[in-house]
């Protein structure tokens, strides 16, 4: 996968109408502090296009990043942050549900979980929710650099067991610091969308 150009194209709030994009969409879901923005920036080869925040729970929009004029990375609101009200949590849930149900171009959902910990109840609910919407999420186990190499297989097994994931669920350990796991994610995108589409002509940023 060769990144030629990327841009934040559309930002949707709670009352916004979802865009009718022509290109395929890949969605990113996960807890507020799981490293979602860091993953998206790493995939786009940008340091800070996807907004990271020192305060989890700040992202209250669905952000569409145009990649190579051929694909959209869709950053969904983080869930499970304890310090926001139940009302806001419910609104975020509605936003995510609306997107998963209504997007005509959604092809793949990445669900991010922290490789250091067992999946939370919110992670399990999101996994089941995505399955109910007809998608088999790919699990990205973030913060890989925080554990030893000998722990990886054990933690991946615990994640699968904690999510009660199907046998064909793919788990990719990933580190935003070392970029380990990025090539595996690129390979999935290439396989899903075709290498030609992901190498669309454009100017190097």
């Amino acid at each position: 996968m060769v990144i030629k150009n990327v841009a934040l194209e559309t930002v949707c709030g709670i009352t916004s109408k979802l865009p009718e994009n022509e290109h395929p969409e890949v969605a990113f879901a996960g807890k507020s502090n799981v490293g979602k923005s860091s993953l998206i920036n790493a995939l786009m080869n940008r340091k800070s296009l996807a907004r990271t925040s020192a305060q989890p729970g700040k992202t209250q929009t669905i952000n569409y990043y145009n990649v190579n004029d051929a694909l959209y990375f869709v950053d969904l609101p983080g869930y499970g942050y304890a310090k926001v009200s139940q009302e806001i949590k419910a609104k975020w849930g509605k936003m995510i549900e609306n997107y998963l149900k209504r997007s005509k171009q959604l092809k793949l959902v990445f669900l991010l979980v922290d490789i250091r910990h067992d999946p939370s109840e919110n992670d399990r609910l999101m996994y089941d929710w995505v399955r109910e919407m007809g998608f088999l999420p790919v699990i990205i186990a973030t913060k890989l650099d925080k554990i030893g190499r000998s722990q990886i297989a054990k933690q991946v097994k615990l994640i699968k067991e904690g999510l009660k994931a199907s046998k064909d669920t793919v788990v990719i350990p990933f580190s935003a610091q070392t970029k380990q796991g990025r090539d595996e994610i690129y390979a999935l995108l290439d396989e899903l969308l075709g290498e030609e589409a992901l190498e669309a002509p454009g100017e190097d940023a």
Side-chain angles (χ1 to χ4, degrees):
M1 181 175 180
V2 178
I3 303 295
K4 296 289 186 179
N5 53 71
V6 296
L8 175 59
E9 184 172 292
T10 308
V11 177
C12 290
I14 290 169
T15 60
S16 303
K17 182 181 178 181
L18 297 175
E20 295 183 4
N21 293 320
E22 295 182 357
H23 301 310
E25 297 170 6
V26 176
F28 297 79
K31 288 189 298 187
S32 297
N33 58 350
V34 78
K36 196 152 44 67
S37 296
S38 297
L39 168 65
I40 293 171
N41 282 326
L43 292 176
M44 296 190 300
N45 279 331
R46 300 296 186 271
K47 289 184 178 180
S48 58
L49 184 58
R51 302 162 189 165
T52 58
S53 174
Q55 293 179 279
K58 293 290 280 186
T59 302
Q60 301 181 31
T61 56
I62 299 175
N63 300 328
Y64 291 76
Y65 297 92
N66 185 322
V67 180
N68 289 353
D69 291 320
L71 168 71
Y72 287 96
F73 287 165
V74 182
D75 185 7
L76 300 176
Y79 57 80
Y81 187 57
K83 292 186 180 180
V84 299
S85 69
Q86 290 299 324
E87 180 183 3
I88 291 177
K89 287 180 183 178
K91 287 180 179 179
W92 291 350
K94 282 291 184 185
M95 288 176 69
I96 296 171
E97 180 182 22
N98 184 52
Y99 173 76
L100 293 176
K101 280 184 175 180
R102 296 181 183 276
S103 173
K104 296 177 182 177
Q105 293 292 347
L106 179 59
K107 305 300 181 185
L108 180 64
V109 178
F110 289 116
L111 176 58
L112 281 64
V113 298
D114 190 326
I115 198 169
R116 299 171 297 176
H117 309 299
D118 290 348
S120 68
E121 180 62 24
N122 283 315
D123 292 329
R124 289 189 286 272
L125 288 171
M126 182 57 70
Y127 177 85
D128 292 341
W129 201 6
V130 173
R131 291 301 305 267
E132 288 174 13
M133 297 296 169
F135 297 94
L136 177 61
V138 172
I139 309 303
I140 307 297
T142 63
K143 307 191 180 183
L144 176 60
D145 50 286
K146 304 294 187 183
I147 66 171
R149 184 172 296 181
S150 62
Q151 297 175 278
I152 296 174
K154 175 189 172 186
Q155 292 305 116
V156 167
K157 182 180 179 183
L158 288 174
I159 287 170
K160 282 190 169 184
E161 291 174 349
L163 294 173
K164 297 182 179 177
S166 60
K167 290 183 179 179
D168 50 349
T169 297
V170 175
V171 179
I172 300 176
F174 174 80
S175 167
Q177 298 296 319
T178 68
K179 307 301 186 289
Q180 186 174 341
R182 184 168 65 175
D183 287 346
E184 287 87 340
I185 297 171
Y186 281 165
L188 270 182
L189 294 173
D190 287 344
E191 181 181 343
L192 178 73
L193 302 167
E195 292 186 24
E196 184 176 345
L198 291 170
E199 296 182 4
E203 297 297 325
D204 288 319

